[in-house]
Amino acid sequence: MRSRMFVGALPVTVAILLMAVGCSRKESATVSQPAAPAPETTLAPAESAAAAAAVAVSAAVSDAGAKVYKSYCESCHGTKGRGDGVAAAALNPKPADFAIGAYKYDANGNGAPGDVDDIKAVVHDGAAKHGGSPLMAPWPMLTPDQLQAVAEYVKSLHGA
């Protein structure tokens, strides 16, 4: 009887250990992404400066989101968000596949599951608070900027 309880608890134990390893990564890891080529358009100098600033902000948010994702999400959701991270094999239910847009939760109740605000809520609160699995741990220690960046990054994985 005792050995059956141990075997039944093994997948949960492995999942917790893998999550702990994935969660203990330092946030100082950097993710380098190739810079997108600048669009070739003829803009007035003021418009050109504003467009360049918008691209710089977008790239900074993407880099920040990739950094947070790598630290907190990649071990379960995988590098490209396909739900195939190293810890995914031990998890039931399996992590969401962001590449196909498998968003389940409409945390803000607007009728559109998986918008940026929904993702921010699930990341901050954990999925259990929104009717999902407790295996999707809450990350309340993330700053509002980190939540925004990682939510936008997760959305960008759709179709990746």
Side-chain angles (χ1 to χ4, degrees):
M1 175 78 163
R2 211 175 224 189
S3 64
R4 270 192 242 145
M5 284 179 38
F6 176 74
V7 171
L10 187 59
V12 173
T13 304
V14 170
I16 291 170
L17 289 173
L18 288 172
M19 285 175 47
V21 169
C23 298
S24 66
R25 293 182 184 162
K26 296 186 185 241
E27 283 193 59
S28 63
T30 58
V31 176
S32 58
Q33 297 178 352
E40 292 187 28
T41 56
T42 55
L43 299 174
E47 291 173 327
S48 180
V55 168
V57 168
S58 177
V61 167
S62 179
D63 288 346
K67 182 178 174 183
V68 173
Y69 182 87
K70 184 167 184 63
S71 295
Y72 295 98
C73 312
E74 189 174 290
S75 62
C76 295
H77 292 280
T79 305
K80 299 200 182 263
R82 296 195 172 147
D84 61 353
V86 295
L91 300 177
N92 187 16
K94 299 298 181 199
D97 183 342
F98 303 133
I100 62 169
Y103 305 108
K104 299 177 186 177
Y105 309 107
D106 184 15
N108 62 9
N110 70 353
D115 63 21
V116 170
D117 289 334
D118 295 330
I119 295 168
K120 287 170 33 180
V122 172
V123 170
H124 182 270
D125 304 332
K129 181 173 181 179
H130 301 285
S133 171
L135 296 177
M136 171 51 214
W139 302 106
M141 74 292 283
L142 296 178
T143 67
D145 288 341
Q146 288 174 314
L147 281 170
Q148 183 71 32
V150 77
E152 290 179 14
Y153 183 78
V154 165
K155 286 295 284 188
S156 77
L157 294 172
H158 182 71

